[in-house]
Amino acid sequence: MTQKITLAKGLNMGLRKAMENDPKVLIMGEDVGKLGGVFRITDGLQKDFGEDRVIDSPLAESGIVGTAVGMALRGYRPVVEIQFDGFVYPAYDQIVCQVAKMHFRSQGKSKMPMVIRIPFGGGIGAVEHHSESPEAQFAHTPGLKVVACSNPVDGYWMIQQAIASDDPVIFLEPKRQYHADKAELDDTVTPDPLFTSRVVRTGTDVTVLAYGPMVKTVMRAAEAAASEGKSLEVIDLRTLSPLDMGPVLDSVRRTGRAVVAHEAHVNLGMGAEISARITEQCFYSLEAPVLRVGGFDAPYPPSRLEENYLPDLDRVLDAVDHSLSF
Amino acid sequence: MTKQPASGFGPDLAEVFGPSQQDGGPELIQLLTPEGERVHHPDIDVDFPEEQLRGFYRDMVLTRRIDTEATALQRHGELGIWAQLLGQEAAQIGAGRALRPQDYVFPTYREHGVAWCRGVDPLKLLGLFRGVDQGSWDPGANNFALYTIVIGAQCLHATGYAMGMQRDGVVGTGDPERDAAVVAHFGDGASSQGDVNEAFIFAASYNAPVVFFCQNNQWAISEPIERQSRIPLYQRALGFGFPGVRVDGNDVLATYAVTQAALQRARDGQGPTLVEAYTYRMGAHTTTDDPTRYRLSDDVERWKLKDPIARVEVYLKRNGFADEAFFDSVADEADQLGATLREGCKAMPDPEPMSMFDHVYSEMTEELAAQRDGYAAYLESFEGAAVGGGH
Ligand SMILES: Cc1ncc(C[n+]2csc(CCOP(=O)(O)OP(=O)(O)O)c2C)c(N)n1
Ligand SMILES: [Mg+2]
């Protein structure tokens, strides 16, 4: 069956499917019950699955993730919702010291099949702490897997795959896309595996890498570039840890040029790791240094400046031109 | 103590949150009933001069006007979001007016009434919610810290600030001009956060001069107080080793009296107090929230009868403490304030793009300066061309 869905709907349907398929799947978080979460991603789930499976938690992120660890040890598969990116930090200790290391510490005897969903990124005109991109802080932590969806169909499949994973997954959702574009979902197809990147537009001149909210921006940049006769190949990375470098290296070997775009600060962001790996693994194919486009190395600004702060179509194209100038 | 239910060890919820507690229970401290009748309390009471009573009324009316104007400005797209205080005016004005100039306040994001008492320009509150800055008042000028959005964090800051006061010798000297204390504001939801509980521990351990002022407005977005606590919040204090009291947060007289007493204890060097101001969030959590998804309007209707402003108005009128001219002048003042806020808000300029690189460090680093200069040059490259129009 096919239907047109938003990202919010895709995630909601994916969560519902996972809960139907496995009675051990639980949802935990602030306001996820009657309200359906502040973004309505869990809309209707408590009504249908009950308060034991869709758990409105007390207002304490460390408590939520810490108790989810216990639930996981007891054989459940908790899906934790963090209300906004900037509020994950009270749980940071539980995530990096406990969630990430339990499997290693127990020599594989204790699994941590937990998903921590984080609405991330800016562009919604919010106040402080509601627009951040903390992915690198988790990708830097061994034991955690980190993925970011960019569109409704991936939202539907990736959330189910993340829940099915026996490793803990930090699941990043581009909040400004939640209710934006609709896409056609055909749930009879076989989805790509979770930890894979995907070429979403083929091209010959420059490879542009993005994930989450920046995929849309980069796709628009590619269209604009095409009208000027420049051919961009766009890759939606989808997985940030582990990275799936295969499609990236294949592409860069053909184009000889790469630009990495993300909303997160450039300094030690995902772009730094990706550009190091490209340089290490296909140095002789490169015509230009790998360039990064991202948020500036200042805290996310007051929302009236976020259009300046966030990398947009023009800044992506500027980097592309810079790359082509070598 | 609450009765144990037969089936387990938890307290009987019907007793803690049931009908007998709907009005705050027997321990609730009240000096002015919802009907506007002055009642007395054996331990906590204050003689209020008429002028002070009129002042409370004026403060609450003007605070409510700030709130309704801001809500309207958000609806018109002038603010990104607004956190409404509707219904919590008495709790905030009572707490705010009990302060002395040398005291210090750590607010959440909803303490517009306390900000008013501290002399913070309400336009500066609007600036934050408009997205032009993240709080532009000088915390040191008003002894009013910036709004804190991360739930609970400020309770630790307040405690540390109070520990600093102890070391500065401004606690327990007996000099009313000198002795100082701190108020930490937080909500019922925040009472679940680790930071808040750690603040209780530190304050108790060091006997810090801090008043933990919890506005229990019964809701943390969509979650009712029962999700956060299975005993009345003020009773938690005892477990941490300091006193807790529950005051009618819709009664400005009682809130003033209780906060003043708690502040005095702190200034005198007798340590922290938890004040639970029992109130109700009459509006949505913020302008983006839709409370019809999770709560019944019955509750809101019931709390309407306890309006904090109406009861003071009745009290003033019935006792002849204020005449029509006074009420008219406050109404005029509120209209003027509303107009000032509307115009001031719309006239507020967007910040300069380059300002986003300022104040990251006490001195700009070379690498950040290079990033800033690069961005300035990039913006200049568009001059003459239509910005955003491509390349
Ligand atoms: C650490 C953290 N987690 C989540 C949030 C999102 N959030 C903002 S307000 C709020 C509810 C707060 O409830 P309460 O403490 O009762 O204060 P109230 O809003 O009722 O004044 C939540 C969950 C946040 N700001 N900070
Ligand atoms: Mg509350």
Side-chain angles (χ1 to χ4, degrees), chain B residues 88 109-110 187-190 215-221 281:
Chain B
Q88 298 175 227
Y109 41 83
R110 208 188 286 284
D188 44 290
Q215 287 169 72
N216 174 2
N217 63 8
Q218 316 295 329
W219 293 94
I221 310 187
R281 196 194 79 208

Side-chain angles (χ1 to χ4, degrees), chain A residues 30-31 35 40 43 56-61 83 128 228 296-298 300 302-305 308 314-315 321, chain B residues 78 130-131 133-134 150 189 192-193 220-223 227-228 293 350-351 353 356 368 371 375 378 388 390-391:
Chain A
E30 293 156 11
D31 305 289
L35 186 63
R40 310 290 186 261
D43 189 23
D56 259 340
S57 316
L59 207 179
E61 288 77 7
Q83 202 158 73
E128 200 184 358
E228 293 175 6
F296 297 110
D297 292 314
Y300 199 89
S303 62
R304 293 260 163 174
L305 288 182
N308 288 92
D314 285 317
R315 272 169 60 199
D321 284 352
Chain B
E78 296 293 336
R130 186 175 167 87
D133 55 56
Q134 293 172 337
V150 177
S192 294
Q193 277 288 13
I221 310 187
S222 73
E223 298 192 0
R227 177 57 55 217
Q228 318 290 345
R293 289 179 70 97
D350 282 351
M356 69 185 165
L368 191 57
Q371 223 174 68
Y375 184 58
Y378 165 82
H391 219 64

Side-chain angles (χ1 to χ4, degrees), chain B residues 1-2 16 21 24-29 186 191 200 212 214 216 225 229 231-247 258 273-278:
Chain B
M1 267 307 286
T2 41
V16 179
Q21 292 283 327
E27 306 263 285
L28 185 83
I29 298 176
F186 62 107
S191 73
F200 290 173
F212 294 108
C214 177
N216 174 2
I225 176 66
S229 184
I231 55 163
L233 283 176
Y234 73 97
Q235 291 183 14
R236 284 207 188 148
L238 205 58
F240 288 92
F242 52 88
V245 287
R246 176 179 273 186
V247 62
V258 164
T273 306
L274 171 61
V275 176
E276 178 191 0
Y278 197 76

Side-chain angles (χ1 to χ4, degrees), chain B residues 1 4 23 31 33 55 85 92 100 145 152 183 234 254-255 268 275 312 319 323 332 358-359:
Chain B
M1 267 307 286
Q4 304 290 323
D23 295 319
L31 298 180
T33 68
L85 64 62
Q92 296 197 11
R100 293 210 184 121
V183 179
Y234 73 97
T255 309
D268 287 346
V275 176
V312 176
N319 292 280
D323 56 14
D332 286 349
D358 295 341
H359 308 301

